[in-house]
Amino acid sequence: MRTVDGRERSGPRRVLLTGWFSFRDGEATAGDVLALRRVEEVLRGAGMAYDVVWSPGFLPEAPHFDDVRPGDYSHLVFVCGPLHGPQVEELHRRFAHCVRIAVGTSVIDPGDAAVTGFHRVLARDAPGSEPSEDLAARAPALPARPVVGVVLTHGQREYGEQRRHGQVAERVTRWLAGKDCARLELETRLDTRDWHMSATPAQVQSVLARLDLVVTDRLHGLVLALRVGTPVLAVDPVAGGAKVTAQARACGWPALLAAEQVDARRLDRWWYWCLTSGRVAARQARDAFREGRVPDGADRLVEALAPRTGAG
């Protein structure tokens, strides 16, 4: 086999794919991983053997640089991200015998040792050259995942020793971390100064209406999601049940767990129901709210405000 620098190299060609997602202190971004998938697709189509190195902080069970024997590879390919820094320069030293190629990368300084150490740079952007489409744009299509809003509270001290908010949040979030879904942490609290927060109820509603599911231990997390027809997996964080349980009952909403019942099996059961039959049930709850089928406190308010007539 002849390398890009014209030298002969014997043995089979095997490619090591690396990027910023490979370094111990690096990070994996969605764009980087999609760019990697695009490169993998091309190599598979060409019948080329390859391995991928991952950061142990991101994928602890995957191959890491400590597991790699440089002599097993003829080529090193660096995928996506900027070409700079000591981590990239170290690759040139450790894999000096390999043909080193960068693809889909940004070049900031063409004279940087991190750049000049590559035999070839197929940049997405570099000084003096036309930019090319990012590799993530043509990565293989991905199936949609449920988009889940998470509305949890760690407060409500008024419940005293009955509070189980911390335990509920820990169990729910640990369970959610293992679900293949897109998670979005939300607040029902409004703030007109903090851009992270919604400033009006309409803004909160607009987010909730676009979700597939809401997981919450808040009363208004339950009510506001049902108000826009989004199914809710509700957990009451108060031992023995309190306002979340009462409101689920008032709304006729079945997907509710007591603080003492929170485990993966029960959560999974209601997760599946919410994403199937619960979709219809949530829309029915929304329609019941809109039509005012059940009286609420405001319906009785005028009567309560009316002057009382004395006896006699």
Side-chain angles (χ1 to χ4, degrees), residues 17 38 48 60 90 101 110 118 125 133 166 174 208 267 270 281 284:
L17 299 180
R38 170 63 180 151
M48 294 184 179
E90 175 59 24
I101 301 171
F118 286 101
D125 55 88
E133 195 176 72
R174 185 176 67 238
L208 296 176
L267 288 165
W270 284 119
Q284 291 172 339

Side-chain angles (χ1 to χ4, degrees), residues 187-192 197-210 220 224-225 227-228:
E187 271 277 5
T188 57
R189 181 169 60 88
L190 304 178
D191 194 318
T192 58
M197 309 284 288
S198 293
T200 67
Q203 293 171 10
V204 176
Q205 268 195 188
S206 296
V207 175
L208 296 176
R210 287 162 172 78
H220 282 122
L224 297 183
R227 178 179 158 86
V228 294

Side-chain angles (χ1 to χ4, degrees), residues 171 175 233-235 255-273:
R171 290 175 185 173
W175 166 75
L233 199 172
V235 180
L256 170 75
L257 290 176
E260 301 86 355
Q261 296 177 318
V262 179
D263 60 36
R265 180 182 63 82
R266 292 185 176 95
L267 288 165
D268 282 339
R269 175 198 168 202
W270 284 119
W271 170 277
Y272 177 77
W273 182 84

Side-chain angles (χ1 to χ4, degrees), residues 153 156 159 162-165 168 172 216-219 233-248 255-262:
T153 176
Q156 299 181 325
Y159 288 103
Q162 292 176 285
R163 294 175 67 247
R164 301 292 184 271
H165 298 66
V168 164
V172 168
T216 187
D217 66 356
R218 303 197 71 137
L219 181 152
L233 199 172
V235 180
D236 195 320
V238 179
K243 60 184 179 182
V244 175
T245 298
Q247 192 58 212
L256 170 75
L257 290 176
E260 301 86 355
Q261 296 177 318
V262 179

